[in-house]
Amino acid sequence: MKLNIIGLCFIILFSSSGQAFEFKSIEIGGVSTPEKVKNALGHSVNCSDTPAWALHNDDGDIPSYSCSGNTTVAKEPASVFVVIDTESIVKVVEMKLSPDSYDNVNLELIKKYGVPSKINNSIVKNIFGVHFEQSISTWVDKNGNEIFYSKYTSSLDKSYLRFSTRSYRDSIEEKKLGREKDM
């Protein structure tokens, strides 16, 4: 028993690769361009030529480039959405895929990034009262960049995988707070 606990501690302490969070060579918080994103994700992804997406910070909205389309994650089909700010920093890569692929994709994320920083398992139920096991895995690096993977989204037919910077998540929270003032 003592050996198992030591082995588990070793895995937890040393399983993280320490590498930057990236998806198909698109580094989260790193520099990229819409053209590089399109080349990395495939030709079924389209990117804006001019800033159109707006991120929010203390100074107001920041125009940003966006890319969207279809790609694969661990050979599983996924829809993808990417935001790059006007300073060419990749802020977020969001994907929706089938919940059936959760276990395979999550295993590949663990192989690449180590044991998640946080794992949350719970039971959710649909409008008909059928129960499903919800699983959420979260990895956070030393810069606050995050990988968030949820088996189910607001519906039970999609899972949600997001690679994001702290500043991106903060901008989303600031927009939500601003809504209260609009009521």
Side-chain angles (χ1 to χ4, degrees):
M1 179 71 171
K2 188 174 182 180
L3 184 59
N4 288 342
I5 293 171
I6 292 170
L8 182 60
C9 290
F10 179 80
I11 289 170
I12 291 171
L13 289 173
F14 298 104
S15 64
S16 180
S17 65
Q19 69 187 53
F21 291 162
E22 59 87 23
F23 177 68
K24 296 192 176 191
S25 75
I26 303 166
E27 185 179 337
I28 305 308
V31 175
S32 193
T33 64
E35 183 180 330
K36 287 180 184 176
V37 167
K38 184 173 175 131
N39 289 338
L41 298 181
H43 295 290
S44 64
V45 171
N46 294 310
C47 298
S48 59
D49 294 330
T50 57
W53 182 258
L55 292 174
H56 185 77
N57 70 8
D58 293 335
D59 299 323
D61 287 340
I62 303 168
S64 300
Y65 299 95
S66 65
C67 301
S68 61
N70 296 306
T71 191
T72 57
V73 182
K75 302 196 185 225
E76 300 286 346
S79 61
V80 64
F81 179 72
V82 180
V83 175
I84 306 165
D85 70 14
T86 52
E87 295 174 353
S88 300
I89 303 298
V90 177
K91 295 297 190 175
V92 68
V93 177
E94 293 180 324
M95 291 165 274
K96 291 188 179 173
L97 50 158
S98 168
D100 294 336
S101 56
Y102 181 85
D103 292 334
N104 291 334
V105 173
N106 202 47
L107 180 61
E108 292 304 316
L109 288 166
I110 290 169
K111 286 179 186 176
K112 187 169 185 173
Y113 298 110
V115 176
S117 308
K118 182 179 177 185
I119 299 171
N120 184 1
N121 292 309
S122 62
I123 301 296
V124 296
K125 68 179 182 176
N126 66 11
I127 59 173
F128 303 109
V130 179
H131 291 84
F132 296 88
E133 186 177 328
Q134 169 67 299
S135 297
I136 299 172
S137 297
T138 306
W139 292 257
V140 180
D141 73 9
K142 64 182 188 268
N143 298 319
N145 296 326
E146 177 184 87
I147 300 172
F148 175 89
Y149 191 24
S150 178
K151 185 171 186 176
Y152 299 110
T153 59
S154 57
S155 70
L156 295 172
D157 64 342
K158 294 287 181 200
S159 65
Y160 177 71
L161 174 59
R162 179 188 68 215
F163 294 70
S164 63
T165 63
R166 179 181 301 196
S167 63
Y168 175 80
R169 294 188 312 280
D170 289 348
S171 75
I172 298 301
E173 287 305 311
E174 286 179 22
K175 277 191 172 187
K176 286 180 185 176
L177 292 174
R179 291 178 188 158
E180 295 169 357
K181 297 175 185 173
D182 197 32
M183 294 298 288

